[in-house]
Amino acid sequence: MDASLSTLSNCEKLSLSTNCIEKIANLNGLKKLRILSLGRNNIKNFNGLEAVGETLEELWISYNLIEKLKGIHAMKKLHVLYMSYNLVKDWGEFSKLADLPNLVDLVFVGNPIEEKYSSEGSWVDEATKRLTRLKKLDGVPVIKQEDEEGED
């Protein structure tokens, strides 16, 4: 990610998908960035995103090599996170998403943890138990337990 990115001070949406990017960097100057698309790269972690943590609302980072979610907590305004087909494999990492107070739409399909628990039939229950504010998981509206009870 080139240093010239920092000159885009008024940029609100930036797509850098399919660029063989390995590290997130040089986002400091993007003071108005709301949507960042980094899908289909070689990104291994969220380092570098803290520079846009105060403004970023949507992060599209599917088809990368992310195993650990360290640093995701800096994304205070994030309400959409599409990170399908990465390498997250345990609940300890997944649970770090609970640090995102505004996250309501998550796509996590194709991560080892999702594949394992979907095959057992417990993915939606387990994921929504950990992320209670979700309104959509993997493109499907989340139906809360109390919503079901009120339909009788």
Side-chain angles (χ1 to χ4, degrees):
M1 294 178 72
D2 191 282
S4 62
L5 282 176
S6 61
T7 64
L8 305 174
S9 58
N10 289 317
C11 180
E12 292 186 24
K13 181 178 179 184
L14 181 61
S15 180
L16 295 170
S17 297
T18 320
N19 273 300
C20 299
I21 295 168
E22 292 183 13
K23 287 187 170 131
I24 301 168
N26 298 310
L27 297 178
N28 326 34
L30 290 104
K31 301 292 183 211
K32 296 183 181 176
L33 192 66
R34 294 182 313 104
I35 302 170
L36 179 59
S37 178
L38 292 168
R40 299 187 186 277
N41 281 295
N42 298 313
I43 296 167
K44 294 185 173 88
N45 58 52
F46 291 109
N47 293 345
L49 277 177
E50 53 282 337
V52 292
E54 295 298 316
T55 60
L56 203 65
E57 296 171 13
E58 298 186 19
L59 178 60
W60 307 341
I61 197 159
S62 296
Y63 296 95
N64 274 285
L65 305 169
I66 298 167
E67 193 174 332
K68 306 276 189 222
L69 301 180
K70 183 175 183 258
I72 193 75
H73 68 278
M75 307 287 103
K76 295 298 180 207
K77 288 193 173 174
L78 202 67
H79 60 257
V80 173
L81 177 60
Y82 293 167
M83 64 170 297
S84 57
Y85 299 97
N86 274 282
L87 303 173
V88 179
K89 55 181 174 265
D90 65 66
W91 288 120
E93 289 304 315
F94 181 86
S95 294
K96 291 177 182 171
L97 296 174
D99 293 339
L100 302 173
N102 297 301
L103 186 66
V104 292
D105 186 354
L106 175 66
V107 176
F108 218 74
V109 73
N111 278 276
I113 191 169
E114 179 275 333
E115 291 175 338
K116 176 180 192 258
Y117 286 90
S118 283
S119 70
E120 295 173 6
S122 62
W123 166 245
V124 173
D125 289 342
E126 291 295 328
T128 55
K129 183 168 57 177
R130 288 166 171 83
L131 302 178
T132 56
R133 292 182 288 270
L134 281 186
K135 290 186 172 41
K136 248 168 106 178
L137 176 62
D138 298 331
V140 179
V142 172
I143 297 163
K144 302 268 193 273
Q145 205 64 40
E146 61 269 13
D147 294 346
E148 289 177 0
E149 292 164 8
E151 292 174 10
D152 295 341

